[in-house]
């Protein structure tokens, strides 16, 4: 299938040489595993004051990635590299925070700092934003007038007004919940060495066009939802590992189950997705959601949350097996198609020449400007990042335990200290707030009662 993709030249094109190790599972990192899979320092040059063990830098890719990425040194021509995060959802940003800190320059990464562009008015979201800014001197925030109360419909064009020409920006959506150590170095390197590209994306899980690519690279596994059981969040300790899941045991016959007709209960609980029994080998992805994905920016990979759920569980399985090489490629050229900008590298001057920027910044950058300038948008396949959910997928995706699986993985392997927000922390804060309110009301009633007794 990989060779078929290399020869395929219709709407997308893979260029550059793919290391032969990417084509053979026998050469995965697992076969040459480090006897010490965790490290108290994420980088040999890192200066983090560590509190717990984390994965060593480039642990997931060093055995099947060219040294040009994991030995990449920032060129002198780049004045500054800043992450630009559109902040709006505490549930996912609390996970992303651990990856951002890991990628700061002082900790062995390439980022000079992180800019959080405020895109919410929710008090609880803003409370986390304040904690984030206080947690690291390399974090800063930009206040943006959103124009409307709903950050998802107000447009993003005016969020770029403070962009500087000489800064290389890595724009990151706030619901990126996994970031391979090679993700930022690979797109920075590609953008610097190929300035003719207008923007360079990382290799994104749950992005319509790349979802189709990953399916055809055989990176997707058969998963279907657990039908008759749900779990509370918080309250259930989640193991992110796919190997701990039982097999999906329902029948796939039309008389018993039709995935298109099934929807989870909206009961403030979450459900799991389970692997299909491996004994059914022939056409094993048939009748699973991924077979409906298509190479189209507005296709079912964008609208159908079940496709995204299968992609997430497949990724977690590949992550546990240390087999992210399944997803890898050299350069994928979107050929002026609209592409996702969930995780892209752009020079500040390229953003500024695009002004005024449309409310739909993704369309403006990846389709309008690329065509206008004759400069392509591409994806670098050497570094993975995981996008949790589109707005069109959100309702269904939030009924799964997927977000908490990524939280569990980050806590175990990436985060140096406790997360600044978690469901259980918010639940405890809510209980404390409720208790305080009840005590205040009881005190007020007691005072009113005493006052009436005196008056009587």
């Amino acid at each position: 299938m990989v060779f078929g993709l290399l020869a395929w030249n219709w709407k997308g094109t893979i260029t550059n040489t793919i290391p032969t190790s990417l084509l053979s599972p026998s050469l995965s990192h697992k076969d040459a595993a480090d006897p010490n899979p965790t490290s108290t320092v994420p980088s040999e040059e890192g200066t983090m004051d560590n509190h717990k063990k984390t994965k060593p830098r480039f642990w997931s890719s060093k055995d099947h990635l060219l040294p040009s990425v994991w030995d990449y040194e920032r060129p002198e021509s780049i004045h500054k590299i800043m992450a630009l995060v559109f902040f709006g959802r505490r549930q996912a940003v609390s996970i992303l925070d651990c990856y951002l800190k890991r990628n700061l320059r002082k900790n062995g990464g390439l980022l000079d700092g992180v800019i959080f562009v405020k895109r919410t008015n929710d008090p609880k979201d803003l409370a986390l934003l304040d904690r984030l800014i206080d947690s690291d001197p390399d974090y800063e925030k930009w206040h943006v007038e959103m124009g409307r109360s709903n950050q998802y419909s107000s447009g993003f064009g005016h969020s770029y007004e403070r962009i500087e020409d000489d800064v290389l920006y890595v724009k990151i959506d706030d619901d990126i919940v996994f970031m391979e150590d090679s993700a930022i170095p690979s797109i920075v390197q590609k953008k610097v060495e190929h300035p003719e590209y207008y923007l360079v994306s990382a290799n994104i899980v749950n992005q319509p066009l790349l979802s189709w690519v990953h399916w055809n690279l055989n990176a997707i596994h058969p998963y279907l939802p657990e039908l008759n059981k749900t779990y509370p969040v918080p309250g259930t300790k989640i193991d992110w590992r796919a190997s701990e899941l039982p097999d999906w045991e329902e029948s796939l016959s039309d008389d018993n189950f039709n995935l298109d007709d099934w929807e989870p209960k909206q009961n403030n609980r979450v459900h799991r997705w389970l692997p299909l029994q491996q004994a059914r080998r022939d056409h094993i992805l048939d009748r699973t959601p991924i077979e409906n994905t298509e190479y189209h920016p507005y296709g079912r990979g964008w609208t159908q949350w079940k496709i995204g759920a299968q992609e997430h569980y497949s990724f977690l399985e590949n992550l546990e097996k240390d087999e992210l090489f399944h997803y890898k490629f050299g350069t994928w050229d979107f050929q002026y198609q609209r592409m996702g900008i969930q995780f892209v590298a752009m020079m500040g001057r390229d953003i500024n020449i695009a002004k005024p920027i449309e409310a739909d910044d993704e369309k403006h950058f990846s389709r309008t400007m690329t065509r206008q300038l004759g400069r392509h948008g591409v994806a670098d396949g050497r570094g993975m990042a995981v996008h949790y959910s589109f707005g069109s997928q959100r309702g269904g995706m939030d009924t799964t335990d997927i977000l908490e699986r990524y939280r569990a993985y980050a806590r175990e392997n990436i985060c140096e200290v406790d997360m600044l927000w978690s469901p259980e922390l918010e639940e405890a804060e809510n209980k404390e707030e409720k208790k305080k309110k009840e005590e205040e009301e009881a005190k007020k009633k007691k005072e009113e009662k005493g006052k009436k007794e005196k008056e009587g």
Side-chain angles (χ1 to χ4, degrees):
M1 183 64 72
V2 173
F3 294 107
L5 273 174
L6 287 172
W8 188 73
N9 192 29
W10 174 44
K11 291 184 179 176
T13 304
I14 290 183
T15 60
N16 294 358
T17 301
I18 301 180
T20 55
S21 57
L22 301 191
L23 308 179
S24 172
S26 65
L27 295 179
S28 71
H29 180 73
K30 196 169 187 177
D31 294 325
D34 188 333
N36 299 305
T38 59
S39 169
T40 56
V41 182
S43 167
E44 293 178 359
E45 299 177 356
T47 58
M48 254 189 191
D49 181 14
N50 300 287
H51 296 83
K52 67 176 185 178
K53 292 182 178 180
T54 60
K55 288 283 191 182
R57 193 168 294 279
F58 298 109
W59 71 272
S60 64
S61 55
K62 204 164 186 177
D63 288 315
H64 57 79
L65 187 68
L66 295 177
S68 61
V69 172
W70 45 265
D71 282 347
Y72 182 65
E73 293 187 8
R74 171 174 158 159
E76 295 181 1
S77 60
I78 298 299
H79 167 63
K80 185 185 290 187
I81 302 175
M82 297 292 290
L84 186 69
V85 179
F86 286 9
F87 178 93
R89 293 163 285 197
R90 62 191 181 279
Q91 294 87 348
V93 179
S94 53
I95 302 172
L96 175 61
D97 171 47
C98 295
Y99 291 95
L100 292 172
K101 287 187 169 80
R102 182 178 174 95
N103 279 275
L104 289 173
R105 191 174 186 180
K106 64 187 178 185
N107 297 328
L110 291 180
L111 297 177
D112 291 290
V114 179
I115 301 165
F116 291 98
V117 183
K118 174 180 164 292
R119 298 288 308 179
T120 179
N121 290 319
D122 185 301
K124 292 184 178 180
D125 289 333
L126 294 177
L128 174 60
L129 180 55
D130 289 339
R131 292 179 195 170
L132 288 169
I133 300 304
D134 291 341
S135 72
D136 198 290
D138 292 333
Y139 280 5
E140 62 180 284
K141 65 179 174 180
W142 289 356
H143 177 76
V144 173
E145 294 295 337
M146 294 192 296
R148 301 181 192 174
S149 59
N150 186 339
Q151 68 264 37
Y152 303 112
S153 62
S154 60
F156 294 90
H158 54 284
S159 301
Y160 299 92
E161 293 182 0
R162 295 172 60 181
I163 295 296
E164 300 176 37
D165 280 353
D166 294 333
V167 176
L168 192 156
Y169 293 93
V170 181
K171 179 199 168 295
I172 302 174
D173 276 12
D174 66 355
D175 61 344
I176 293 294
V177 291
F178 173 89
M179 188 190 307
E180 199 173 12
D181 290 328
S182 55
I184 290 177
S186 64
I187 62 175
V188 167
Q189 182 188 41
K190 185 63 60 68
K191 186 70 184 75
V192 171
E193 295 181 357
H194 294 275
E196 70 273 18
Y197 294 142
Y198 184 65
L199 69 168
V200 179
S201 170
N203 191 351
I204 307 296
V205 169
N206 194 27
Q207 184 191 90
L209 300 183
L210 291 180
S211 297
W212 184 93
V213 174
H214 296 156
W215 174 37
N216 285 277
L217 286 172
N218 291 326
I220 308 302
H221 302 293
Y223 279 87
L224 288 172
E226 187 174 22
L227 301 182
N228 300 311
K229 195 171 184 180
T230 58
Y231 305 88
V233 172
T236 301
K237 282 194 172 183
I238 292 178
D239 189 333
W240 61 271
R241 295 168 181 80
S243 61
E244 297 299 315
L245 294 168
D247 283 336
W248 196 84
E249 296 179 347
E250 304 292 333
S251 170
L252 276 175
S253 69
D254 290 334
D255 294 336
N256 291 283
F257 177 67
N258 187 328
L259 183 61
D260 292 336
D261 296 335
W262 178 85
E263 289 295 333
K265 295 179 180 179
Q266 302 286 339
N267 58 1
N268 295 320
R269 295 167 67 88
V270 296
H271 70 277
R272 305 182 298 183
W273 282 53
L274 305 179
L276 270 66
Q277 295 180 4
Q278 296 301 304
R280 192 174 69 85
R281 290 287 181 182
D282 292 339
H283 306 291
I284 198 163
L285 292 177
D286 289 359
R287 307 281 305 279
T288 67
I290 196 64
E291 72 168 352
N292 294 314
T293 198
E294 53 198 318
Y295 194 81
H296 195 288
Y298 301 108
R300 283 164 285 190
W302 175 56
T303 60
Q304 295 186 9
W305 70 271
K306 295 169 188 174
I307 294 176
Q310 185 178 0
E311 290 180 72
H312 284 304
Y313 269 89
S314 296
F315 179 82
L316 289 166
E317 178 177 332
N318 291 327
L319 182 64
E320 180 184 0
K321 292 178 178 178
D322 203 356
E323 294 182 353
L324 297 190
F325 61 82
H326 287 301
Y327 297 90
K328 301 303 178 70
F329 51 83
T331 299
W332 184 270
D333 193 326
F334 292 100
Q335 306 290 4
Y336 297 128
Q337 283 266 57
R338 177 174 179 145
M339 59 180 277
I341 61 169
Q342 292 80 24
F343 197 114
V344 294
M346 298 183 71
M347 283 301 303
R349 64 178 62 90
D350 287 333
I351 296 174
N352 285 332
I353 63 174
K355 294 177 179 177
I357 298 169
E358 300 173 23
D360 185 348
D361 57 341
E362 181 174 276
K363 176 185 175 184
H364 187 74
F365 288 136
S366 69
R367 187 169 173 82
T368 302
M369 291 305 301
T370 54
R371 288 173 178 267
Q372 181 177 316
L373 298 172
R375 298 168 60 193
H376 288 216
V378 304
D380 189 298
R382 297 173 295 172
M384 303 297 301
V386 175
H387 172 235
Y388 172 57
S389 177
F390 294 99
S392 53
Q393 298 174 326
R394 179 77 53 181
M397 201 74 79
D398 283 349
T399 68
T400 74
D401 66 353
I402 289 169
L403 190 63
E404 295 313 305
R405 287 182 177 272
Y406 284 111
R407 187 182 307 281
Y409 175 82
R411 277 175 163 164
E412 181 179 317
N413 299 290
I414 304 299
C415 303
E416 292 279 329
V417 295
D418 290 341
M419 289 185 178
L420 297 177
W421 182 93
S422 66
E424 58 267 29
L425 179 60
E426 181 163 297
E427 183 184 52
E429 290 174 347
N430 289 341
K431 286 182 178 179
E432 184 64 27
E433 186 177 329
K434 182 180 179 181
K435 180 181 178 182
K436 185 177 180 181
K437 187 176 180 180
E438 289 173 348
E439 290 174 348
E440 289 175 351
E441 289 177 351
K443 181 179 179 182
K444 184 178 179 180
K445 288 181 180 179
K446 185 176 181 180
E447 290 174 349
E448 290 176 351
K449 181 179 179 182
K451 184 178 180 180
K452 287 181 180 180
E453 289 176 349
K454 285 183 179 179
E455 291 175 350

